[in-house]
Amino acid sequence: MLNIILAGAPGSGKGTQSAFIAQKYGLKHLSTGDVLRAEIATGSELGKQIDALISKGNLVPDDMMYGVIESYISGLPKDCKGTIFDGYPRTVAQAQSLTKLLQKYEMEAIMIDLLVDEQLLIQRLIERGKVSGRADDNLNTIRHRIAVYHQQTEPIAHYYLHHGNYFAVNGNHTMADVFLQIMRIVDGYKNR
Ligand code: B4P
């Protein structure tokens, strides 16, 4: 089974590359951002709480995310080829929970980190904001999301580096070029 944690700053291309990887390797794609936005769309009380956090560029609490991941992993079919975890974990506490959950089901994961210059991140998200309709794709919120990323998410790179399953990718290039770099890593890992 091939499990990939796709990490990176907001706008680094996690969602974009996840779609390519899922198609090429036949993996399931779990985007926690999409799960949260789907809950918001239901108009539930929980959705309203999530909306208040996301639209300001803040992360949703770890315990709320744990429920999402726990029910996803425990419900995986036996013949699943693996999962791309797109945007999860986003804190060291989430990384620790994911390691424990994967161990419980005798699975492991590699982390692929999309590294993109800040100016490019801002440019891409502003562009996306023109069509996405997402409340968090505006300049002030983007800046806050990037700051939250540096404070809370970036440290997970050290966590996976320490565990020996960390791979960095230069995400400043075209989508096709970034995908080529990812394929080299994934193919190398599969054939190890
Ligand atoms: P997400 O939905 O995960 O989205 P993202 O980080 O904003 O973007 P992504 O990196 O996927 O960028 P994309 O491919 O679209 O998170 C949204 C929010 O949900 C978070 O801020 C947080 O509040 C909450 N959340 C999610 N998971 C959470 C968790 N685990 N814990 C707590 N809270 C959580 O690319 C962006 C744009 O760039 C696109 O328009 C794309 O077309 C373009 N692009 C991509 N690659 C490109 C390339 N190589 N060249 C040119 N353009 C490119």
Side-chain angles (χ1 to χ4, degrees), residues 77-144:
K78 291 252 177 307
D79 61 350
C80 176
K81 287 184 175 173
T83 296
I84 304 162
F85 293 92
D86 165 5
Y88 186 92
R90 260 177 160 93
T91 63
V92 172
Q94 289 183 11
Q96 289 164 338
S97 304
L98 181 61
T99 301
K100 280 196 196 130
L101 267 174
L102 290 174
Q103 276 168 354
K104 182 174 165 192
Y105 293 95
E106 296 178 347
M107 294 190 266
E108 56 178 21
I110 58 168
M111 174 185 171
I112 298 182
D113 199 4
L114 298 177
L115 304 176
V116 178
D117 294 344
E118 197 152 315
Q119 262 320 100
L120 207 48
L121 294 173
I122 295 174
Q123 244 178 50
R124 286 181 188 175
L125 291 173
I126 297 276
E127 276 309 306
R128 186 176 71 182
K130 291 178 187 165
V131 288
S132 69
R134 275 175 54 167
D136 56 349
D137 280 345
N138 63 78
L139 189 57
N140 279 344
T141 314
I142 291 167
R143 287 197 199 285
H144 181 65

Coordinates of all heavy atoms in Angstrom, one line a residue, residues 77-144:
P77 N -11.5 0.3 2.4 CA -11.7 -1.1 2.0 C -10.4 -1.8 1.9 O -9.3 -1.2 1.8 CB -12.2 -0.9 0.5 CG -11.9 0.5 0.1 CD -11.7 1.3 1.4
K78 N -10.4 -3.1 2.1 CA -9.2 -4.0 2.1 C -8.4 -3.9 0.9 O -7.2 -4.0 0.9 CB -9.6 -5.5 2.3 CG -10.2 -5.8 3.7 CD -9.2 -6.6 4.6 CE -9.7 -6.9 6.0 NZ -10.2 -5.7 6.7
D79 N -9.1 -3.7 -0.3 CA -8.3 -3.7 -1.5 C -7.8 -2.3 -1.9 O -7.4 -2.0 -3.0 CB -9.2 -4.2 -2.7 CG -10.4 -3.4 -2.9 OD1 -10.7 -2.5 -2.0 OD2 -11.1 -3.6 -3.9
C80 N -7.8 -1.3 -1.0 CA -7.4 0.1 -1.3 C -5.9 0.1 -1.6 O -5.1 -0.5 -0.8 CB -7.7 0.9 0.0 SG -7.1 2.6 -0.3
K81 N -5.5 0.7 -2.7 CA -4.1 0.8 -3.1 C -3.3 1.8 -2.2 O -2.1 1.8 -2.3 CB -4.0 1.1 -4.5 CG -4.4 0.0 -5.5 CD -4.1 0.5 -6.9 CE -4.4 -0.5 -7.9 NZ -4.3 0.0 -9.3
G82 N -4.0 2.7 -1.5 CA -3.3 3.7 -0.7 C -4.1 5.0 -0.8 O -5.0 5.2 -1.6
T83 N -3.6 6.0 -0.1 CA -4.3 7.3 0.0 C -3.3 8.4 -0.1 O -2.1 8.3 0.3 CB -4.9 7.4 1.4 OG1 -6.0 6.4 1.5 CG2 -5.5 8.8 1.6
I84 N -3.7 9.5 -0.7 CA -3.0 10.8 -0.7 C -3.7 11.6 0.4 O -4.8 11.9 0.3 CB -3.0 11.5 -2.0 CG1 -2.5 10.7 -3.1 CG2 -2.2 12.8 -1.9 CD1 -3.0 11.2 -4.4
F85 N -2.9 11.9 1.4 CA -3.4 12.8 2.5 C -3.1 14.2 2.1 O -1.9 14.6 2.2 CB -2.8 12.4 3.8 CG -3.3 11.1 4.3 CD1 -2.6 9.9 4.1 CD2 -4.5 11.0 5.1 CE1 -3.0 8.7 4.5 CE2 -4.9 9.7 5.5 CZ -4.2 8.6 5.2
D86 N -4.1 14.9 1.5 CA -3.8 16.3 1.0 C -4.2 17.3 2.1 O -5.4 17.5 2.4 CB -4.7 16.4 -0.3 CG -4.9 17.8 -0.8 OD1 -4.3 18.7 -0.3 OD2 -5.7 18.0 -1.7
G87 N -3.1 17.9 2.6 CA -3.4 18.9 3.7 C -3.6 18.4 5.1 O -4.1 19.1 5.9
Y88 N -3.2 17.1 5.3 CA -3.3 16.5 6.6 C -2.0 15.7 6.7 O -1.8 14.9 5.9 CB -4.5 15.7 6.8 CG -4.6 15.2 8.3 CD1 -5.3 15.9 9.2 CD2 -4.0 14.0 8.6 CE1 -5.4 15.5 10.5 CE2 -4.0 13.6 10.0 CZ -4.7 14.3 10.9 OH -4.8 13.9 12.2
P89 N -1.2 15.8 7.8 CA -1.4 16.7 9.0 C -0.9 18.1 8.7 O -0.1 18.4 7.8 CB -0.5 16.0 10.0 CG 0.6 15.3 9.2 CD -0.1 14.9 7.9
R90 N -1.4 19.0 9.5 CA -1.1 20.4 9.5 C -0.4 20.9 10.8 O -0.1 22.1 10.9 CB -2.3 21.3 9.1 CG -2.3 21.7 7.6 CD -3.6 22.4 7.4 NE -3.6 23.3 6.2 CZ -4.1 22.9 5.0 NH1 -4.5 21.7 4.9 NH2 -4.1 23.7 4.0
T91 N -0.3 20.0 11.7 CA 0.3 20.4 13.0 C 1.1 19.1 13.4 O 0.8 18.0 13.0 CB -0.7 20.7 14.1 OG1 -1.4 19.6 14.4 CG2 -1.6 21.9 13.8
V92 N 2.1 19.3 14.4 CA 2.9 18.2 14.8 C 1.9 17.2 15.6 O 2.1 16.0 15.4 CB 4.1 18.7 15.7 CG1 4.7 17.5 16.4 CG2 5.1 19.4 14.9
A93 N 1.0 17.8 16.3 CA 0.0 16.9 17.0 C -0.7 16.0 16.0 O -1.0 14.8 16.3 CB -0.9 17.7 17.9
Q94 N -1.1 16.6 14.9 CA -1.9 15.8 13.9 C -0.9 14.7 13.3 O -1.4 13.6 13.0 CB -2.4 16.7 12.8 CG -3.5 17.6 13.2 CD -4.1 18.5 12.0 OE1 -3.7 18.3 10.8 NE2 -4.9 19.4 12.3
A95 N 0.3 15.1 13.1 CA 1.3 14.1 12.6 C 1.5 12.9 13.5 O 1.5 11.8 13.1 CB 2.7 14.8 12.3
Q96 N 1.5 13.2 14.8 CA 1.7 12.2 15.8 C 0.5 11.3 15.8 O 0.6 10.0 15.9 CB 1.9 12.8 17.2 CG 3.3 13.4 17.3 CD 3.4 14.3 18.6 OE1 2.4 14.8 19.1 NE2 4.6 14.6 19.0
S97 N -0.7 11.9 15.7 CA -2.0 11.1 15.7 C -2.0 10.2 14.5 O -2.4 9.0 14.5 CB -3.2 12.0 15.6 OG -3.3 12.8 16.6
L98 N -1.6 10.8 13.3 CA -1.6 10.0 12.1 C -0.7 8.8 12.2 O -1.0 7.7 11.7 CB -1.3 10.9 10.9 CG -1.4 10.2 9.5 CD1 -2.8 9.6 9.2 CD2 -0.9 11.1 8.4
T99 N 0.5 9.0 12.7 CA 1.5 7.9 12.8 C 0.8 6.8 13.6 O 0.9 5.6 13.2 CB 2.8 8.4 13.5 OG1 3.3 9.5 12.7 CG2 3.8 7.3 13.6
K100 N 0.2 7.1 14.8 CA -0.4 6.1 15.6 C -1.5 5.4 14.9 O -1.6 4.1 15.0 CB -0.9 6.7 16.9 CG 0.1 7.0 17.9 CD -0.5 7.3 19.3 CE 0.6 8.0 20.2 NZ 0.1 9.1 20.9
L101 N -2.3 6.1 14.2 CA -3.5 5.5 13.5 C -3.0 4.6 12.4 O -3.5 3.5 12.2 CB -4.3 6.6 12.9 CG -5.5 7.1 13.7 CD1 -6.2 8.2 13.0 CD2 -6.5 5.9 13.9
L102 N -2.0 5.0 11.6 CA -1.4 4.2 10.6 C -0.8 2.9 11.1 O -1.0 1.8 10.6 CB -0.4 5.0 9.7 CG -1.0 6.1 8.8 CD1 0.2 6.9 8.2 CD2 -1.9 5.6 7.7
Q103 N -0.1 3.1 12.3 CA 0.5 1.9 12.9 C -0.6 0.9 13.3 O -0.4 -0.3 13.1 CB 1.3 2.3 14.1 CG 2.7 2.8 13.7 CD 3.4 3.4 14.9 OE1 2.9 3.7 16.0 NE2 4.7 3.8 14.7
K104 N -1.7 1.4 13.9 CA -2.8 0.6 14.3 C -3.3 -0.3 13.2 O -3.6 -1.5 13.4 CB -3.9 1.4 14.8 CG -5.1 0.7 15.4 CD -6.1 1.7 16.0 CE -7.4 1.0 16.2 NZ -8.5 2.0 16.6
Y105 N -3.3 0.2 12.0 CA -3.8 -0.6 10.8 C -2.6 -1.1 10.0 O -2.8 -1.5 8.8 CB -4.7 0.3 10.0 CG -6.0 0.6 10.7 CD1 -6.1 1.8 11.4 CD2 -7.1 -0.3 10.7 CE1 -7.3 2.1 12.1 CE2 -8.2 0.0 11.4 CZ -8.3 1.2 12.1 OH -9.5 1.5 12.8
E106 N -1.4 -1.2 10.6 CA -0.2 -1.7 9.9 C 0.1 -1.0 8.6 O 0.3 -1.7 7.6 CB -0.3 -3.2 9.8 CG -0.4 -3.9 11.1 CD -0.5 -5.4 11.1 OE1 -0.8 -5.9 10.0 OE2 -0.3 -6.0 12.1
M107 N 0.0 0.3 8.6 CA 0.3 1.1 7.4 C 1.4 2.0 7.7 O 1.7 2.3 8.8 CB -0.9 1.8 6.9 CG -2.1 1.0 6.5 SD -3.3 2.0 5.7 CE -4.4 2.3 7.0
E108 N 2.1 2.6 6.6 CA 3.0 3.7 6.8 C 2.8 4.7 5.7 O 2.0 4.4 4.8 CB 4.5 3.1 6.8 CG 4.8 2.3 5.5 CD 6.2 1.8 5.5 OE1 6.8 1.7 6.5 OE2 6.7 1.6 4.3
A109 N 3.5 5.8 5.8 CA 3.3 6.9 4.8 C 4.6 7.6 4.6 O 5.5 7.6 5.5 CB 2.3 7.9 5.3
I110 N 4.8 8.1 3.4 CA 5.9 9.1 3.1 C 5.3 10.5 3.0 O 4.2 10.7 2.7 CB 6.7 8.7 1.8 CG1 5.8 8.8 0.6 CG2 7.4 7.4 1.9 CD1 6.6 8.7 -0.7
M111 N 6.2 11.5 3.3 CA 5.8 12.8 3.2 C 6.5 13.5 2.0 O 7.7 13.4 1.9 CB 6.1 13.6 4.5 CG 5.8 15.1 4.3 SD 6.3 16.0 5.7 CE 6.1 17.7 5.1
I112 N 5.7 14.1 1.2 CA 6.3 14.9 0.1 C 5.9 16.3 0.3 O 4.7 16.7 0.5 CB 5.7 14.4 -1.3 CG1 6.2 12.9 -1.5 CG2 6.3 15.3 -2.4 CD1 5.7 12.4 -2.9
D113 N 7.0 17.2 0.4 CA 6.8 18.6 0.8 C 7.0 19.5 -0.4 O 8.0 19.5 -1.0 CB 7.9 18.9 1.9 CG 7.6 20.1 2.7 OD1 6.5 20.6 2.5 OD2 8.4 20.4 3.6
L114 N 5.9 20.2 -0.8 CA 6.0 21.1 -1.9 C 6.6 22.5 -1.4 O 5.9 23.2 -0.7 CB 4.6 21.3 -2.5 CG 4.0 20.1 -3.1 CD1 2.5 20.4 -3.6 CD2 4.8 19.5 -4.2
L115 N 7.8 22.8 -1.9 CA 8.4 24.0 -1.4 C 8.3 25.1 -2.5 O 8.7 24.9 -3.6 CB 9.9 23.8 -1.1 CG 10.2 22.7 -0.1 CD1 11.7 22.4 0.0 CD2 9.6 23.0 1.2
V116 N 7.6 26.2 -2.1 CA 7.3 27.3 -3.1 C 7.6 28.7 -2.5 O 7.3 28.9 -1.3 CB 5.8 27.2 -3.5 CG1 5.4 28.4 -4.5 CG2 5.5 25.9 -4.2
D117 N 8.2 29.5 -3.3 CA 8.5 30.9 -2.8 C 7.2 31.7 -2.4 O 6.2 31.5 -3.1 CB 9.3 31.7 -3.8 CG 10.6 31.1 -4.1 OD1 11.1 30.3 -3.3 OD2 11.2 31.4 -5.2
E118 N 7.3 32.5 -1.4 CA 6.2 33.2 -0.8 C 5.4 34.1 -1.8 O 4.2 34.1 -1.9 CB 6.6 34.0 0.4 CG 5.4 34.4 1.2 CD 5.8 34.6 2.7 OE1 6.6 33.7 3.2 OE2 5.4 35.6 3.3
Q119 N 6.2 34.8 -2.7 CA 5.6 35.7 -3.6 C 4.7 34.9 -4.6 O 3.6 35.3 -5.0 CB 6.7 36.5 -4.4 CG 6.9 37.9 -3.9 CD 5.6 38.6 -3.5 OE1 5.3 38.6 -2.3 NE2 4.9 39.1 -4.4
L120 N 5.2 33.7 -5.0 CA 4.5 32.9 -5.9 C 3.2 32.3 -5.3 O 2.2 32.2 -5.9 CB 5.4 31.8 -6.4 CG 5.2 31.1 -7.7 CD1 5.1 32.2 -8.8 CD2 6.4 30.2 -8.1
L121 N 3.3 32.0 -4.0 CA 2.1 31.5 -3.3 C 1.0 32.5 -3.3 O -0.1 32.2 -3.6 CB 2.4 31.2 -1.8 CG 3.4 30.1 -1.5 CD1 3.7 30.1 0.0 CD2 2.9 28.7 -1.9
I122 N 1.4 33.7 -3.0 CA 0.4 34.8 -2.9 C -0.2 35.1 -4.3 O -1.4 35.1 -4.4 CB 1.1 36.1 -2.4 CG1 1.5 35.9 -0.9 CG2 0.1 37.3 -2.5 CD1 2.3 37.0 -0.3
Q123 N 0.7 35.1 -5.3 CA 0.2 35.3 -6.7 C -0.8 34.2 -7.1 O -1.9 34.5 -7.6 CB 1.4 35.1 -7.7 CG 1.8 36.4 -8.4 CD 3.0 36.0 -9.3 OE1 3.0 35.0 -10.0 NE2 4.0 36.8 -9.2
R124 N -0.5 33.0 -6.8 CA -1.4 31.9 -7.2 C -2.7 31.9 -6.5 O -3.8 31.7 -7.1 CB -0.7 30.5 -6.9 CG 0.4 30.1 -7.8 CD 0.9 28.8 -7.3 NE 2.1 28.4 -8.0 CZ 2.8 27.3 -7.7 NH1 2.4 26.5 -6.8 NH2 3.9 27.0 -8.4
L125 N -2.7 32.3 -5.2 CA -3.9 32.3 -4.4 C -4.8 33.4 -4.8 O -6.0 33.3 -4.8 CB -3.6 32.3 -2.9 CG -3.0 30.9 -2.4 CD1 -2.6 31.0 -1.0 CD2 -4.0 29.8 -2.6
I126 N -4.2 34.6 -5.1 CA -5.0 35.7 -5.6 C -5.7 35.4 -6.9 O -6.8 35.6 -7.1 CB -4.0 37.0 -5.8 CG1 -3.4 37.4 -4.5 CG2 -4.8 38.1 -6.5 CD1 -4.2 38.3 -3.7
E127 N -4.9 34.7 -7.8 CA -5.5 34.2 -9.1 C -6.6 33.3 -8.8 O -7.7 33.4 -9.4 CB -4.4 33.5 -10.0 CG -3.5 34.5 -10.8 CD -4.3 35.5 -11.6 OE1 -5.2 35.0 -12.4 OE2 -4.1 36.7 -11.5
R128 N -6.4 32.3 -7.9 CA -7.4 31.3 -7.7 C -8.7 32.0 -7.1 O -9.8 31.6 -7.4 CB -6.9 30.2 -6.7 CG -7.9 29.1 -6.5 CD -7.4 28.0 -5.6 NE -7.3 28.4 -4.2 CZ -6.8 27.7 -3.2 NH1 -6.4 26.4 -3.5 NH2 -6.7 28.1 -2.0
G129 N -8.4 33.0 -6.3 CA -9.5 33.8 -5.6 C -10.5 34.4 -6.6 O -11.7 34.6 -6.3
K130 N -10.0 34.7 -7.8 CA -10.8 35.4 -8.8 C -11.9 34.4 -9.3 O -13.0 34.9 -9.8 CB -10.0 35.8 -10.0 CG -9.1 37.0 -9.7 CD -8.2 37.4 -10.9 CE -7.2 38.4 -10.5 NZ -6.1 38.5 -11.5
V131 N -11.7 33.1 -9.2 CA -12.7 32.2 -9.7 C -13.2 31.2 -8.6 O -14.3 30.6 -8.7 CB -12.1 31.3 -10.9 CG1 -12.0 32.1 -12.1 CG2 -10.8 30.7 -10.5
S132 N -12.5 31.0 -7.5 CA -12.8 30.0 -6.5 C -14.0 30.4 -5.6 O -14.7 29.5 -5.2 CB -11.6 29.7 -5.6 OG -11.4 30.8 -4.7
G133 N -14.2 31.7 -5.4 CA -15.3 32.1 -4.5 C -14.9 31.7 -3.1 O -15.8 31.8 -2.2
R134 N -13.7 31.3 -2.8 CA -13.3 30.9 -1.4 C -13.1 32.2 -0.6 O -12.3 33.1 -1.0 CB -12.1 30.0 -1.5 CG -12.4 28.6 -1.7 CD -11.2 27.7 -1.8 NE -10.3 27.8 -0.7 CZ -9.3 26.9 -0.5 NH1 -9.1 25.9 -1.4 NH2 -8.5 27.1 0.5
A135 N -13.7 32.2 0.6 CA -13.6 33.3 1.5 C -12.2 33.5 2.0 O -11.9 34.7 2.4 CB -14.5 33.1 2.7
D136 N -11.3 32.5 1.9 CA -10.0 32.6 2.4 C -9.0 33.0 1.4 O -7.8 33.1 1.6 CB -9.5 31.4 3.2 CG -9.6 30.1 2.3 OD1 -10.2 30.2 1.2 OD2 -9.1 29.1 2.8
D137 N -9.4 33.2 0.1 CA -8.5 33.6 -1.0 C -8.5 35.1 -1.2 O -8.7 35.6 -2.3 CB -8.9 32.8 -2.3 CG -8.4 31.4 -2.3 OD1 -7.5 31.0 -1.5 OD2 -8.8 30.6 -3.2
N138 N -8.2 35.9 -0.2 CA -8.0 37.3 -0.3 C -6.7 37.7 0.4 O -6.3 37.0 1.3 CB -9.2 38.1 0.2 CG -9.3 37.9 1.7 OD1 -8.6 38.5 2.5 ND2 -10.3 37.0 2.1
L139 N -6.1 38.8 0.0 CA -4.7 39.1 0.4 C -4.5 39.0 1.9 O -3.5 38.4 2.3 CB -4.3 40.5 -0.2 CG -2.8 40.8 0.0 CD1 -1.9 39.7 -0.6 CD2 -2.4 42.1 -0.6
N140 N -5.4 39.7 2.7 CA -5.1 39.7 4.1 C -5.2 38.3 4.7 O -4.3 37.9 5.5 CB -6.2 40.5 4.8 CG -5.9 42.0 4.8 OD1 -4.7 42.3 4.5 ND2 -6.8 42.8 5.0
T141 N -6.2 37.5 4.3 CA -6.3 36.1 4.8 C -5.2 35.3 4.3 O -4.7 34.4 5.1 CB -7.7 35.5 4.4 OG1 -8.7 36.5 4.7 CG2 -8.0 34.3 5.2
I142 N -4.8 35.5 3.1 CA -3.7 34.7 2.5 C -2.4 34.9 3.4 O -1.7 34.0 3.8 CB -3.4 35.0 1.0 CG1 -4.5 34.6 0.2 CG2 -2.1 34.5 0.5 CD1 -4.5 35.2 -1.3
R143 N -2.1 36.2 3.7 CA -0.9 36.5 4.5 C -1.0 35.8 5.8 O 0.0 35.3 6.3 CB -0.8 38.0 4.7 CG -0.3 38.7 3.5 CD 0.2 40.1 3.8 NE 0.2 41.0 2.7 CZ 1.2 41.0 1.7 NH1 2.1 40.1 1.8 NH2 1.1 41.9 0.7
H144 N -2.2 35.8 6.4 CA -2.4 35.2 7.7 C -2.2 33.7 7.6 O -1.6 33.0 8.5 CB -3.8 35.5 8.3 CG -4.0 34.9 9.7 ND1 -3.3 35.2 10.8 CD2 -4.9 33.9 10.1 CE1 -3.7 34.5 11.8 NE2 -4.6 33.7 11.4

